[in-house]
Amino acid sequence: MTTFDDREHAYENKFAHDAELQFKADARCNKMLGQWAAGLLGKAGPEAEAYIREVVTADFEEAGHEDVFRKLSADLGEKADAETIRAKMAECMTEARRQVLEEES
């Protein structure tokens, strides 16, 4: 195997690893968002857990995070405006990435 092949293999492995970490961070972020929204909606126990799963699975509708934003925006209505939801999404993503990277170490 040549040095070029080794380098190509290393880049492929890094890409796969980074994609896996991003997937984990996205899922964790969505779970945090679901917990936050469930609290605002007054959901607790099994009802909150079911709602959290709905938020996590909403992310599979399309690429990006707009599908989750639309779900939260529709569900929360007057309880949280777009700016508040987007700020919470950014906050949760920062925390989710930190947690995932910390677990990797």
Side-chain angles (χ1 to χ4, degrees), residues 36-79:
W36 170 74
L40 289 177
L41 294 169
K43 297 178 185 285
E47 187 180 18
E49 291 301 317
Y51 183 75
I52 292 165
R53 282 191 295 279
E54 286 178 29
V55 173
V56 171
T57 58
D59 196 25
F60 297 120
E61 292 176 16
E62 64 186 46
H65 301 287
E66 286 303 305
D67 41 7
V68 173
F69 172 78
R70 281 193 305 273
K71 171 152 184 59
L72 293 173
S73 182
D75 292 350
L76 293 173
E78 297 293 319
K79 295 182 187 320

Side-chain angles (χ1 to χ4, degrees), residues 12-51:
E12 289 171 357
N13 286 342
K14 181 177 181 347
F15 179 81
H17 182 259
D18 290 349
E20 180 182 350
L21 291 179
Q22 185 62 49
F23 178 81
K24 287 178 181 180
D26 287 344
R28 185 163 305 185
C29 172
N30 292 333
K31 183 176 180 180
M32 288 181 210
L33 288 167
Q35 291 168 334
W36 170 74
L40 289 177
L41 294 169
K43 297 178 185 285
E47 187 180 18
E49 291 301 317
Y51 183 75

